[in-house]
Each structure stands twice: as structure tokens, then as C-alpha cells.
Amino acid sequence: MYTHNIDKSVVLVVDKYSQEAHIAYSTAGVKYPVQYSRAKIEYTKEFFSILADLSNVQSGVGVFFYRRRIDEPSTGRGFVGEWQAQGEPYEDTLNDLVYEPYAILGKCPNCGSPVSELQEGVPRCRTCEAGLKGHILPLRFALTSVNAYSRYLDDNTAYIDLTDSGRLSTLIFRKIYGAGRERSVNPILPEESAKLRRLLARVEQENRNQLVSRPPSKAMPASLKPIRAYLDFQNTFPISGRGDSYLYADDGSLIFETVLEFWIVQKLGENPMQLVNQLISLKEETVEWFSNQVLFGIGGEKSDVLVLTRDAAGLRKRAIVIELKKDAVNNDTLSQVKTYAYWIAQLATAQAQTTSPFLITPVAVGHRVARNAQPFEPFSFEIPYAQSLEVRVESPRVYTYAVDTAANTLRLSRVR
Ligand SMILES: [Zn+2]
């Protein structure tokens, strides 16, 4: 498997029902958003979206947990860390990870459904509504402990305290507008993971907040089906509302935009330079970081995929902002970046050592290109930091994708 030097961490949301089982079994897990009825699974747009999120995880990626509130005080929840991912994400609907009185389940013990939800603070099967010992989390990956910080890092210290420099830029928008924006796997920037480590060390040193319980470790079941097996253009799946379908329709367009997102993040995870060099050819730059669904605005503005590069001296050099369209790339797709460039540039440069000028390279990928799609001309602007930074926004590059069934992958072709 390809190894690389990406400095990435992810934050996974846990709660009192799952946290100790995650720690005891050194296993992260997320929900399985499918339709389930009459003992039959149907895959949804959200399922492929979760697979895209999970594709950010390769061996060596840093992992922090975030314990969300059920009924504990603010000193008994927040960030817990730090682990590293081991191996690739997989699916396991068979094994329950039991840590009495709670458990991480592979399926509902009553009806076999792989989907649970919290109802009034209690996990229940979504299908038969049976009360459960914990959440059903069949999408998993293995962990090793890196630093068992002893205490919870509370929200106020993480988000509000100004005595530590910097802020949790990509997490704060999910936090402020929580519901609906929370994702189960949240990739964070290198400067954000550095801040979490500093603050976890600080609350430990100052004996603040409650101690994190560290249960004795238990043996982990062997991994099962890797999630990349779902990136299969040669076979059909039971797809919600479509019956048994390929991942693409008769006209060659993908059934969900999230399948394109899943493919792109999976390829970035396997070999980031190879995918990026298909989009723009980098000279003396390497990929520093990438993620899907990166929020950079209060209004929920986001980049479908964001890639950061650094130059030979290790300075952050460029943000590649990728917009994905299941169908047509139109003028709105291209002009979006123009409106948001200032905020993307701040997200990428405010807390990092960068080159000047800093570059923004917009890329759009769709199944086809609308007639009105007119890439804007390059432009530049200044960010008035203590030391002013010049940002140059390049003209958007437009690509189309096509399904290559023989090679079981997608092909990208440059249009503009
Ligand atoms: Zn059930």
C-alpha cells in the first residue's frame, strides 16, 4: 500500500454509550446510513458520503475523539486523545464490541437492522425501535494509542479561550451550527491538531476537568470487508429508490455526487500526488493535506474537496479547491470560488507558514459542461495580516469524468 507524509488528523464523535468500548477495543466506528426493511439493505446517498469521509483515514492518520453530551457536565465531555489509525477502514456487521453495560453493535440483536439512532438520549434500533446497549457502528478502523492524555478538553478551553493562539477553524462552524453539520469523521488541519495537542497537555498539566476512563484493552476481531470494495463500477448494488443498480446511470453519470466524492478522496488517500498531478502538474510541490467537505464560512460555505500543497522548503504554497457535479458544471459552479476565495485563503494561511504569493487553483469536475460555463480570469488580492499576504486566484480548470468499467475506475479529461 502507498505510504505518504500527510499530516492529517480526524475527530470522531463518540458518547457515553460508545467511548469506553472504542478505547477498550482500540477501534473507531461510525454509523451506517442505509435503508433497511424486510431484512434488505438499500444503499443511500448518505452511505457513500460516509464512505467518502472515511476515505480520509489511512494508516498513520491521527485520531481524536470528541465526546458529545448525553447527560454529563461540561467537565466530563469534550476532546479525548490521541490515537493513530492502523490499516484501512472496513465494514463489520457481525461483531459486537461489548464493554458492559454498553456496547458498539454490528447490527440490531432483535431484527438484524444495521441502523440505530438516538431517541431522547437513548440508542434505539431505527427499524424495530428496540432499546439497544449502544449504537450500531459497522464502519470501523483500528487504532493505536499515541498519547493517553488523562483529561477531557472541554469546549470552552477548545473554542473560546484566547490565551492559546489560533483556533479550530474547520471545526468551529460545525460546532456553532451543530445539528446537521456534525459529521462522524471530521478531518482537521495540521495547525488544528497541533492546537488540540497543546490544549490536551495543558488541561492534563493543570488537573482540570474529569479524568478519562481508560479501560483495559480487549482483543479486536479481525477486519472484514474494506470499504473501498464499494467503489465497484462492475457490479450492481441495491440502491435506495432504484432497485439493483450500477453506481452510474445509462447516460454514464454517477447515481450520486457522493460516489464521485468517495472516488476522489479514495484516490487521494491511495496516492495523493498521482491524483493531483492529473488535475494540475505540480513542480517541486507536494501534497500536504486533503479533505472532503471543508467548511470555511458561517453560512455553511464549503469546498467539496480541498487539497493543500507545500513547496520544497516546507511552506504552504497552494490551495486546490475542487467542486464536484454529478451532472453539468455550469457558470455558478465556476464563479462560486470567486466569491469565497478570500475566506478559503484565510482558512489556509492564517495559522500556517506560507509562501507569498499564495495560490488558489479552482478545479471543477462534472459529467458534462454547460454551454454557459465560462471560467473567470485570474485575479489577486491582499490579506492584511501583520505581514500582508498576496493571494493569486488562477482561472478555473474544468474536467469531465467518465466511468471506465473495464478498468473499474473513473477517468478525468480536461475540457478547459
Ligand atoms: Zn431492530
Side-chain angles (χ1 to χ4, degrees), residues 34 62 89 106 192 220 332:
V34 296
E192 294 179 281
M220 202 170 30
D332 288 347

Side-chain angles (χ1 to χ4, degrees), residues 59-131:
S59 267
V61 163
V63 178
F64 298 90
F65 286 131
Y66 177 83
R67 179 181 176 128
R68 73 177 158 185
R69 180 177 190 179
I70 299 289
D71 53 11
E72 51 282 83
S74 63
T75 55
R77 55 187 154 93
F79 294 92
V80 183
E82 175 185 12
W83 289 262
Q84 243 177 30
Q86 285 278 83
E88 60 182 324
Y90 59 90
E91 177 184 294
D92 183 353
T93 54
L94 302 176
N95 292 294
D96 299 334
L97 310 180
V98 181
Y99 192 82
E100 296 294 349
Y102 303 128
I104 291 170
L105 304 173
K107 58 180 183 302
C108 170
N110 188 40
C111 77
S113 169
V115 196
S116 66
E117 60 193 9
L118 262 188
Q119 283 179 15
E120 291 160 1
V122 180
R124 283 188 184 283
C125 172
R126 185 186 284 173
T127 308
C128 74
E129 301 200 333

Side-chain angles (χ1 to χ4, degrees), residues 18 50 53 58 76 93 103 150 196 198 201 223 236 240 253 255 267 272 327 380 411 413:
S18 61
I50 293 257
D53 291 356
Q58 295 85 41
T93 54
S150 60
L196 284 181
R198 278 199 307 275
S223 71
T236 58
S240 181
S253 65
I255 48 169
K267 291 295 149 195
D327 299 312
S380 51
R411 299 271 170 225
S413 315

Side-chain angles (χ1 to χ4, degrees), residues 173-175 177-183 186 295 297-301:
F173 302 116
R174 301 197 191 281
K175 186 70 196 162
Y177 291 95
R181 287 209 189 159
E182 265 180 23
R183 298 180 77 89
N186 297 274
L295 286 179
I298 290 284
E301 300 92 333

